[in-house]
Amino acid sequence: MANVTVIGAQWGDEGKGKIVDWLASRADVVVRFQGGHNAGHTLVVGDQVYKLSLLPSGIVTGTLSIIGNGVVLDPWALKAEIEKLTAQGVSIHAENFAIADNCPLILPLHRDLDGLREVAAGSGKIGTTGRGIGPAYEDKVGRRAIRVCDLAHLDAMDAQLARLCAHHDALRAGFGQPPVDRAALLEELREIAPFVLQYAQPVWKRLKKVRKAGARILFEGAQGVLLDVDHGTYPFVTSSNTVSGTAASGSGLGPNSTGFVLGIVKAYTTRVGSGPFPTELEDAVGQRLGERGHEFGTVTGRKRRCGWFDAVLVRQSCAISGVTGIALTKVDVLDGFDKVKICTGYRLHGKVLDYFPSHAADQAAVEPIYEEMDGWEGTTAGARSWADLPAQAIKYIQRVQELIETPVALVSTSPEREDTILVRDPFID
């Protein structure tokens, strides 16, 4: 049995929650390895809808769920999310949930800085969720972060807190804001510490143990490859690496543990926030995609920008992240279109490109080259086998996998867990 790493192969919001939930029912462990509570996953199980931002999707099924060291953790957001899920009947305790004790914390001062920067940037804003993710990662690499393990040593962190606040006080002064209230921050940490510490442990050690016992591990990524801080549409990216390789460094297991890499790919393209989007449709077709796909962010509630499927971007994501197979989601949103289009290349200043360039000006200037296909009259919604799909929908799926040079492993035809066509089993292949 193989382990499975799930990543988004576009700009996030590809439907990872449903796929991870489907896989989690067959896994022994689910691990979040990067990002923070800026990620939004919606799970539909029977008549229950669960909205997760920080917790691994496996927690809903009682699967051992772990937040790895590559995640930045807002302890107050964690508490609120656990309380919400508990009210929905989900049991969360130290036996089925663990947090890496070397996980960096998101503090109120990080949220403050995030908001101040976005307001000051005006039209040049990145489009962050304003939840302090970026500033927390900055403090991590700046070696001034407060981590989960520090919550057990709050009486001995005056020097550490002074170093952190000295950095933020200078930034806050530049925005005309008062210094950080260190006493108030310390008191907030004292209040939340017992709640967080009940789940804290060296998770690398626990993962080593369960892996040795033959457990099937599911690594759950957040956002998408096109938001990767190195490989995405920089600077309109998130503050972490979202590629599959991060599963190793962000969990404490080696690179030989990541197994089958499953890229989640929406049958069209969406994006939240600012940044280039070659196939964006600002017309009735884009509006129709957004309405049919219910394209609003799980975390922010912001309306997503919509466009045709971009095979160039997905092919690039699959190559960069070593994707073994894709899970194609929301095919049903394309039901009823007379024609559907796929972007197969770009024109940039008279040249044809088969890749997405790195420079922001070039990214904004590329023009999509489309291939048009007939749509289909029947419905794909709820299909659970190839026989349930219209012939033209099958042709579309086949063309997608040809263009992205990566095979389809799963096809999702609705938000329901069981409305999934299994082509290739990631846990066996």
Side-chain angles (χ1 to χ4, degrees), residues 156-165 182:
M157 67 177 304
D158 286 349
Q160 187 179 356
L161 196 60
R163 183 168 182 266
L164 173 69
C165 291
R182 300 183 192 184

Side-chain angles (χ1 to χ4, degrees), residues 5-17 20 30-41 52-57 66-68 70-72 129 133 137 218-229 237-247 250 262-264 299 321:
T5 299
V6 174
I7 59 164
Q10 293 160 306
W11 279 295
D13 306 311
E14 302 96 347
K16 290 185 294 297
V20 170
V30 182
V31 185
R32 273 285 308 272
F33 58 85
Q34 50 76 220
H37 65 306
N38 55 337
H41 292 165
L52 308 181
S53 297
L54 185 57
L55 292 168
S57 297
I66 290 175
I67 291 179
V71 174
V72 283
T129 58
I133 310 296
Y137 273 117
L218 179 62
F219 298 94
E220 179 182 5
Q223 291 93 38
V225 174
L226 297 176
L227 293 174
D228 185 277
V229 70
V237 293
T238 193
S239 299
S240 63
N241 287 109
T242 59
V243 293
S244 60
T246 314
L262 183 67
I264 314 302
V299 170
S321 217

Side-chain angles (χ1 to χ4, degrees), residues 265-267 309 326-331 396-397 400 408 410-412:
V265 178
K266 194 178 287 184
F309 185 82
I326 68 163
L328 192 64
T329 67
K330 290 199 167 185
V331 177
Y396 180 81
I397 295 168
V400 163
V408 171
L410 299 165
V411 179
S412 171

Side-chain angles (χ1 to χ4, degrees), residues 125-165:
K125 65 183 180 179
I126 300 297
T128 76
T129 58
R131 299 195 169 200
I133 310 296
Y137 273 117
E138 289 175 35
D139 283 343
K140 174 184 177 178
V141 298
R143 293 166 291 183
R144 54 182 171 264
I146 294 174
R147 302 186 298 170
V148 168
C149 56
D150 295 321
L151 294 175
H153 302 274
L154 292 175
D155 292 333
M157 67 177 304
D158 286 349
Q160 187 179 356
L161 196 60
R163 183 168 182 266
L164 173 69
C165 291

Side-chain angles (χ1 to χ4, degrees), residues 3 9 25 29-30 48 65 72 88 116 119 125 130 146 182 184 209 214 222 289 326 345 352 405:
N3 294 333
S25 65
V29 189
V30 182
Q48 276 277 25
S65 298
V72 283
Q88 289 185 273
L116 290 168
V119 170
K125 65 183 180 179
I146 294 174
R182 300 183 192 184
K209 181 179 179 180
L289 288 171
I326 68 163
V352 174
E405 299 172 2

Side-chain angles (χ1 to χ4, degrees), residues 181-399:
D181 187 333
R182 300 183 192 184
L185 175 57
L186 193 57
E187 184 57 34
E188 286 184 275
L189 291 173
R190 287 191 195 282
E191 289 179 5
I192 199 68
F195 181 84
V196 177
L197 289 173
Q198 66 181 311
Y199 304 114
Q201 59 183 269
V203 299
W204 66 267
K205 189 174 180 181
R206 190 165 184 181
L207 285 170
K208 178 185 176 183
K209 181 179 179 180
V210 298
R211 188 183 180 207
K212 190 174 181 180
R216 288 174 294 187
I217 302 173
L218 179 62
F219 298 94
E220 179 182 5
Q223 291 93 38
V225 174
L226 297 176
L227 293 174
D228 185 277
V229 70
D230 288 315
H231 300 288
T233 49
Y234 193 91
F236 302 99
V237 293
T238 193
S239 299
S240 63
N241 287 109
T242 59
V243 293
S244 60
T246 314
S249 60
S251 66
L253 282 175
N256 63 342
S257 64
T258 53
F260 189 108
V261 179
L262 183 67
I264 314 302
V265 178
K266 194 178 287 184
Y268 49 103
T269 311
T270 62
R271 178 165 200 170
V272 171
S274 306
F277 186 168
T279 65
E280 182 173 11
L281 298 170
E282 299 181 272
D283 57 12
V285 174
Q287 180 78 12
R288 182 179 176 186
L289 288 171
E291 290 174 355
R292 295 198 62 185
H294 305 291
E295 296 297 351
F296 295 91
T298 301
V299 170
T300 63
R302 288 184 291 182
K303 183 179 178 181
R304 297 178 187 135
R305 299 154 63 191
C306 298
W308 292 120
F309 185 82
D310 192 327
V312 183
L313 287 176
V314 175
R315 182 173 62 240
Q316 192 161 320
S317 292
C318 289
I320 288 167
S321 217
V323 172
T324 315
I326 68 163
L328 192 64
T329 67
K330 290 199 167 185
V331 177
D332 54 301
V333 173
L334 298 179
D335 289 354
F337 279 89
D338 293 331
K339 300 288 182 179
V340 290
K341 295 182 181 181
I342 300 175
C343 173
T344 59
Y346 305 123
R347 285 190 181 88
L348 177 64
H349 309 312
K351 289 181 61 178
V352 174
L353 301 181
D354 62 354
Y355 68 95
F356 200 51
S358 296
H359 197 277
D362 291 338
Q363 290 177 349
V366 298
E367 299 176 2
I369 299 171
Y370 286 118
E371 177 180 304
E372 188 174 81
M373 300 179 66
D374 289 333
W376 49 91
E377 294 182 359
T379 181
T380 64
R384 299 185 181 183
S385 71
W386 287 116
D388 297 332
L389 295 175
Q392 196 60 40
I394 296 174
K395 289 182 181 179
Y396 180 81
I397 295 168
Q398 290 173 335
R399 186 58 179 147

